[in-house]
Amino acid sequence: MRFGVVTLVLLALCAALGPPLAPYDPAKGVGGINEPPSAAHLFGTTGQGQDVLSQFLYGCRVSLLIAFAVALITTLISLAVGLLAAYAGGRTDDVLSSLTNVFLVLPGLPLIVVLAAFLPPGPVTIVAVLSLTGWAFGARLFRSQALSLRQREFIAAARLAGESRWRVLAVELLPNMLSIVAAFFVNQVIFAVGAEASLEFLGLGDSGQVTWGTMLFWAQNGSALLQGAWWTFVIPGLGIALTAFSLALINHAVDERTNPRLRASDLLRQAIGMRQRSAVLVTPVVRDA
Amino acid sequence: MSEAVVTARGLRKDFGPVKAVRDVSLAVDPAEIVAVVGESGSGKTTLGRIIVGLTRPSEGSVTVSGRPQMIFQDVFGSLNPAHDIGHHLRRAVIRSGRRVPDVDREVVTLLERVGLGERFVRRRPHELSGGERQRVGTARALASAPRLIVADEPVSMLDMSVRVEILNLMARLRDDEGVALLYITHDLVSARYLADRVVVMFAGYAVESAPAEELLDDPRHPYTRLLLASVPGSSLDPAPAAGTVQAGEAGCPFAARCPVAVAECGRTMPPVAPLATEPSPGRWLRCHVEGAPL
């Protein structure tokens, strides 16, 4: 958990403060071609002589913004569709579930590629395309969870008290789904970071914009691997991997906090002073002295 | 006798092919506790949910005075784990439509009425025992000053020691505040302890109704008698030979299990009728073989 949060905070700081801190203009050639890391260019230069550190810092902002925007939008769409389907039931549920199923069976990657190829390139297009194709699984998930919660008697009690439908959904039902919503959101950020980089790597983004994905695109374009200029693709790749890794750790920690089974085994380990994690749960035995 | 707090006429509720409630009519007077007893799946809970308006009947009508409330069976599921006790009661007071000058003060008063205190306001449901949760459920039901509360097996998930406390609390609500209760249970002993009148349900039908003492001392419907025989310590034979009558679609659903059924039982469901022998006020039965020895 700690490592995940620290890494994510560092990346967020890069995104927030990076551009002012960047030593060079990321779009301008400021050094030689494919210069390895040096004091003047800490992360080396690209095939066009641009500073990789400056590109990494600028790219961090755009890549993370796109990822979080996609995660936020898909989570909101999933919640709206899933909760409405579960709570309204009947024909509304039929229509929304069918729509969700249609989006679930659409082959995601080809659709993303086709849409991105037809729409004007840019971050907005990428956010729109990834949001359009990424919400269905969440809607399914939230619908199932809401259907199960809906049967609980506290929902019936709220209805009997005369609470409005929206209040029952937002105040009584939703707070009980927060852990699953948080887990989905984090997963969506991981998905979006990877998907955004993939689209741009394939040249379907705006190649004039500096993001981690376009850095990979230009590295591939300039045959960086053949040139031995590893810093041009390892650095943005590391950014993507670290983002996904830190979020996966956070996700796991959230699960540990909210899953009673995992929490209980954790408490038990602490109580008996066990440092190592064990696949087998132990039963504490109290011995008389 | 004053006007009934609830009058249900000809209620029917089908869930697909399942006939949960069939042709049930019922009235509860102010400050009266009516127990609805029957085995699992006999339609008791569905009847209760129809009466409070949580389930829409397929047929029939319900007239209630005021807004009836419900106390639920599942003490773990009836309080929202995401909110504290204060939230539950505050919302119930605010939505009750009553003019309450100080909602927080009213919440404490409600808690005190059910034997809890102010210290429970900030507690979360998981910090409470089963009995305390059921008291909170009762306080929530009381928030709108209802004239009728439907209590759906309110003590079935509680320890024996706590059951009596909750039953006494309900009896006090009737005695002190004139609240009428529809007490849904499969526990005949608690029905005798608490209720003024008992309605017995089987397979969606209300088959017998009588003042509690009378019904439990002198049951007339074969099903009621079998139900009483199944109470531990009863002198009646709990498993007499099953009947030989084939129950038809329009017949009495108990016919196939009834040791004293006659051919007519398999053909028609008898109408609600006062007792043929020793009729007494408020007592009725739906049986072709009233009081036949088992």
Side-chain angles (χ1 to χ4, degrees):
Chain A
M1 171 78 171
R2 210 167 294 155
F3 181 78
V5 170
V6 169
T7 313
L8 192 67
V9 167
L10 282 177
L11 286 166
L13 281 176
C14 274
L17 307 172
L21 290 179
Y24 303 101
D25 182 340
K28 279 191 179 153
V30 289
I33 290 170
N34 284 337
E35 269 182 34
S38 63
H41 303 286
L42 283 178
F43 288 174
T45 61
T46 67
Q48 285 82 38
Q50 297 137 331
D51 182 54
V52 174
L53 174 62
S54 305
Q55 288 207 327
F56 178 83
L57 292 172
Y58 268 90
C60 183
R61 173 178 285 187
V62 182
S63 291
L64 287 187
L65 269 180
I66 289 178
F68 276 90
V70 170
L72 187 70
I73 294 170
T74 51
T75 306
L76 288 178
I77 298 175
S78 303
L79 267 177
V81 173
L83 289 187
L84 195 63
Y87 196 77
R91 190 154 295 176
T92 312
D93 185 18
D94 290 345
V95 170
L96 291 176
S97 292
S98 304
L99 188 71
T100 308
N101 289 338
V102 167
F103 273 87
L104 269 178
V105 296
L106 282 176
L109 193 65
L111 181 70
I112 292 172
V113 170
V114 169
L115 282 176
F118 276 100
L119 296 169
V124 177
T125 299
I126 289 186
V127 170
V129 167
L130 293 181
S131 301
L132 187 72
T133 53
W135 61 269
F137 176 73
R140 204 56 184 297
L141 190 73
F142 298 148
R143 176 180 172 271
S144 314
Q145 174 86 350
L147 274 179
S148 146
L149 282 169
R150 208 187 98 154
Q151 304 302 324
R152 303 278 290 276
E153 290 179 338
F154 63 79
I155 298 294
R159 282 171 56 202
L160 261 188
E163 298 287 17
S164 70
R165 178 176 285 202
W166 294 111
R167 206 181 154 90
V168 170
L169 272 178
V171 181
E172 303 295 333
L173 215 138
L174 191 56
N176 288 287
M177 294 175 59
L178 279 186
S179 61
I180 202 166
V181 173
F184 178 74
F185 177 83
V186 170
N187 267 331
Q188 285 301 94
V189 180
I190 297 173
F191 153 76
V193 164
E196 179 252 353
S198 310
L199 283 179
E200 286 178 334
F201 176 71
L202 293 172
L204 296 166
D206 177 4
S207 53
Q209 181 124 27
V210 179
T211 69
W212 290 341
T214 53
M215 285 173 79
L216 290 171
F217 169 73
W218 286 114
Q220 151 80 5
N221 227 16
S223 305
L225 195 61
L226 291 174
Q227 308 273 344
W230 54 267
W231 51 91
T232 57
F233 56 86
V234 166
I235 299 293
L238 208 61
I240 294 165
L242 273 178
T243 309
F245 184 56
S246 63
L247 287 162
L249 285 177
I250 291 172
N251 209 355
H252 189 71
V254 169
D255 192 27
E256 243 178 38
R257 289 282 161 89
T258 52
N259 183 337
R261 213 182 126 79
L262 293 175
R263 193 172 48 198
S265 79
D266 225 37
L267 288 173
L268 189 61
R269 274 192 309 113
Q270 281 172 20
I272 61 175
M274 204 169 122
R275 282 166 175 270
Q276 289 296 314
R277 233 166 231 289
S278 164
V280 183
L281 287 180
V282 289
T283 306
V285 178
V286 179
R287 287 197 185 147
D288 291 331
Chain B
M1 198 169 283
S2 51
E3 201 179 322
V5 288
V6 61
T7 310
R9 286 191 193 87
L11 292 181
R12 181 172 68 80
K13 179 66 190 176
D14 302 331
F15 295 106
V18 179
K19 296 176 167 73
V21 172
R22 300 193 258 188
D23 187 24
V24 173
S25 297
L26 183 81
V28 181
D29 290 326
E32 184 187 28
I33 298 184
V34 175
V36 178
V37 300
E39 59 195 22
S40 299
S42 59
K44 311 184 294 286
T45 296
T46 306
L47 175 66
R49 291 176 72 95
I50 291 174
I51 284 174
V52 294
L54 281 174
T55 300
R56 202 172 291 167
S58 309
E59 205 180 286
S61 66
V62 179
T63 314
V64 280
S65 78
R67 195 199 288 172
Q69 288 297 322
M70 191 157 186
I71 299 171
F72 297 91
Q73 175 183 15
D74 181 3
V75 291
F76 298 96
S78 64
L79 299 179
N80 192 338
H83 299 301
D84 61 18
I85 302 307
H87 167 91
H88 288 85
L89 299 182
R90 257 193 306 278
R91 288 307 305 173
V93 171
I94 291 167
R95 298 296 309 173
S96 69
R98 290 191 300 140
R99 281 197 182 171
V100 179
D102 184 348
V103 174
D104 289 332
R105 180 66 233 149
E106 179 65 16
V107 166
V108 176
T109 310
L110 282 170
L111 283 169
E112 284 165 354
R113 275 168 71 188
V114 295
L116 302 173
E118 191 173 359
R119 66 202 164 91
F120 284 86
V121 171
R122 291 201 171 278
R123 291 211 189 157
R124 299 241 165 192
H126 71 267
E127 298 173 68
L128 271 57
S129 69
E132 286 166 345
R133 287 175 203 217
Q134 202 54 293
R135 284 171 189 271
V136 172
T138 309
R140 175 174 57 192
L142 289 172
S144 62
R147 296 190 65 205
L148 172 76
I149 295 177
V150 173
D152 184 9
E153 305 204 27
V155 295
S156 67
M157 286 180 76
L158 302 178
D159 291 341
M160 288 305 277
S161 56
V162 186
R163 287 185 180 190
V164 177
E165 289 176 25
I166 299 290
L167 293 178
N168 286 343
L169 170 64
M170 292 183 179
R172 218 168 50 234
L173 291 178
R174 169 198 53 191
D175 299 338
D176 299 349
E177 309 188 23
V179 176
L181 272 172
L182 191 68
Y183 173 54
I184 296 169
T185 182
H186 54 249
D187 176 15
L188 286 165
V189 179
S190 70
R192 178 185 210 132
Y193 180 76
L194 185 67
D196 303 308
R197 192 153 57 86
V198 176
V199 175
V200 181
M201 284 190 75
F202 180 79
Y205 286 112
V207 293
E208 185 168 11
S209 170
E213 294 268 315
E214 235 177 89
L215 183 122
L216 297 168
D217 291 340
D218 179 23
R220 295 298 176 95
H221 195 284
Y223 174 65
T224 315
R225 296 160 91 179
L226 287 179
L227 208 59
L228 279 168
S230 65
V231 174
S234 165
S235 56
L236 297 167
D237 177 7
T244 51
V245 171
Q246 289 286 320
E249 182 69 13
C252 171
F254 189 60
R257 272 171 62 184
C258 182
V260 291
V262 294
E264 185 60 18
C265 300
R267 287 195 290 269
T268 57
M269 181 68 194
V272 170
L275 296 192
T277 55
E278 311 163 53
S280 74
R283 182 156 196 189
W284 53 259
L285 188 70
R286 295 188 81 162
C287 187
H288 288 299
V289 287
E290 178 193 324
L294 294 181

